[in-house]
Each structure stands twice: as structure tokens, then as C-alpha cells.
Amino acid sequence: MATPVNSAEAYANLGRLQSQQEQWQAAIANYRHAIEFNPNCSWYYHHLADIFLKQEQWQEAMINYRQAIELNPNFSWSYHNLGNALLKLKSWEEAIQVYRQAIQLNPEFYWSYCNLGDGLVQQKKWELAIIEYWKSLVILHQTTQAQDFVIIATKLGETLDSYLPETIDQAIAYYQQVTQNHQQYPEYKIIINFIRNYQDKWVKIADFFLYKHWIKAALILYSMVVKVNPDDQEIIKKFKSVYQKKADLEKMINLQHQQIQQNSEKWSKYDDAIAAEQTVNHYDYPVAVNQKNRQYLFSTDINFDLDQLDQLFEAVGWMTRSHEQMKIALEHSFLVVTLWFIKDTNKQLIGFTRAVSDQVYNATLWDVVIHPDFQSQGLGKALIQYTLEKLRQQNIENITLFAGSKAVNFYHHLGFITDPNGIKGMFWVSPCI
């Protein structure tokens, strides 16, 4: 450095260089020295807070962002990043207020809308969260950030599909009313204008929901396009087709859903094996598999050590099964997915499920299990998502499973429907089992 380290600017420059080299503690020390020389520069507090944010020291980040805002109340990034720290500290109400201030200063940054939606979700203000997620996608369409689209669209789709209290018909009617009479709903103005001007991009979002099997969310978006453009026969046809698939799915559940209450003792062990996963943040994306260190590996190979499957079943309290019979079951399953933990040269089976199918329309998942030592890490979610993706690659669209009360929320977050429209399914269980 040309400048001697005896001024605020010199310390700040040194701190910036050390931060770029991830020398965090040294950078923190030099930014503090810069603040000692010049305690009235908002940039020093902001950059120091950024380091604390990267180090997940949320409290220190919050303190320094607040100081930066006090010195410069017109810098949107200090508000946005403060909101991020507040979300981590679970200060939902203050985070919401701070994100709104960030948006006022910079209304073109889509992540402020998205993170505002996250705060509203935590307060169970579902409709307000949905509006903010929509706004985020409206702004995002001007960019080429495909990965960001997946993240934000996932949040919107899950919220639309899982948390609106209305039935699907009520939700469709409400959003069609909003679309038709948007003057009465000024908070939707930017969204309705987007549908009118960029219908193809709106349909892309709906198609993404359909691909992820969020039927309710897809139907809502298709219905809004129909209301804006009632002469678009292609969209009308797609809307009717998806609605019919939803009805077919409900009929299938009616035929296949297990009467768990009549077999509660037998099936409670299956609930316990997956229920711990429901505490995982369902907004995590991508799935919680450590790709960088390659610690976890999915496989669809049915030729694996069945002794390891016995150990996995025993770990969750399930009964082991005859290897001869299990081999037949695996050979006749449409899809078998195993999840392995790799450490050095050791390979441990920690997750398992399989699907039976007519190979055209329907598939049902069985034996979903994650080893207790690996639960509450998002691996159950990863296992199901990987399995659903494999089934959809085979054009299987109607996918069912049987879950008890402890696991219902976990499967809801993955797009499954519980007893839609009050339908109850039944199947006969042999009393000899």
C-alpha cells in the first residue's frame, strides 16, 4: 500500500483487501481502526457489518448496519442487509419494516421483495407474502438469473399451494376477481400489468408450478391468464386439462389411501421414521445434499447389500424382512432409490424408498426412511425430491403415498395433498400380517 497505515482510509483499504482474501479477523480489526480514526463514515460500518454477516455473527452485523443507516439513511443496501440479519435473529416485524425501506430506496432489487415475503410467511401473512414473491418475479424477469427464478418461484409456488386457507375453487375465484377488478386492489397493479404485457413469462411460471406438481398454484396462475385473455383457447385448454388431472388425482387417492386409523399400531413406526424431517426449512434450495464434498450419493441400483437395509430398518424400529422376499420386491418395483453416506472408503446406507407403478399414469411410494443419525438435515426432503424427479422423467404424473399424522406436514411442504375435498381412501390389509 502506498498510503501509510495511519489514517482511516488506509485502514479501510487494508480491511477491504483482507476481506477479499477471506482474512476475516484481520479485516474486522482494520475496519475498527478505520472507525476509530473516522467514526462518521457510514461505509466503514457497512463493510464491517458485511463481514459479520458472512461470518453469521448476526447480532454484530445488525449493530453495525444500524450505525451505517444512522449516518447514511439513503443507502438501500444497508437496509436490505440489515433485514437479512434480522431474519436470522427471528426479528420478523422489524425485518419487514427494514425491507420495505430498502424497497422504497431501490424498488428494482428483487431480493428485497423476496426476503420481505419470507418475513411475512413467518408471521403467517400468506397473501401479503404471495404478493411480494410475485413482485420479486416480475422484476426478476428483466434479468437472466435462472437459478434465482427457481428459488423465488419455489417459494411462491409452495406458499400458494400449501398455505392459502381457501379451497382451490375459492382461491381461483378470488384471484380472478383481483385480475378483473385490479383497480380495487392497487397492491396487485404491477402483477396484473405483468400478466397483460408478458403473458408468456407468466405462463412459464405456471408451467414451472405444474412441473413441480403444485397443482393448486398452477391452476391459480392459469386462471388469471384466462381472465385477462378469455380468447386464448390454448390456455383455456391447459387450465381445463390440469383441473381434470387434479380431479383424477383425488379419485385415485380415494381408491388407494390407507385407513391408517384402523392400523395405527402397524403404521406408527413408518410415521416416526420420517416425521423428524418436518422441522427442515422447506424453503431451502437446492436440496440439502453436500455436492461440494460429495458426502452423500443417490443411487437407483437395486443390487446392494441387503444387510445394510436390515440395519437401516432396525435403526428406525422397523421389522427386517426376508432377503429373498425383499429381493423380489426390489426387482418388481418400478423405481428404487437409495441414499448413501460416503466417508473415506466407507459407504453407509442412510436413506431408502421405492415406488410401484403401472408405468404409465400412477406410482405409489413405499418404505420412505432416513437413518435417525441423519434426520433433521433436509435429507428426507432430498430423497423425496430426487425420487419425484426420477418418476416425472418417466412421465409419471400421479404420485401417491401413505402417511400418518406425524409426517403430514413434511409431505405437504413437498406438494402432496391430504384427503382432497374430504376424500377417504381404503385398502384391505390381511389380518395375518
Side-chain angles (χ1 to χ4, degrees), residues 13 49 68 79 89 93 127 152-153 174 183 216 266 274 376 425:
N13 287 337
Y79 290 96
L89 292 168
E93 187 60 43
E127 184 181 350
I152 299 170
Y174 171 74
Q183 295 88 352
K216 182 177 179 180
K266 175 179 178 179
I274 196 67
S376 298

Side-chain angles (χ1 to χ4, degrees), residues 15 18-19 22-32 48 51-52 55 57:
Q18 290 167 333
S19 178
E22 299 185 357
Q23 299 175 15
W24 306 118
Q25 295 308 313
I28 290 170
N30 280 296
Y31 273 119
R32 291 199 187 279
L48 177 58
I51 296 174
F52 284 127
Q55 292 294 289
Q57 298 183 43

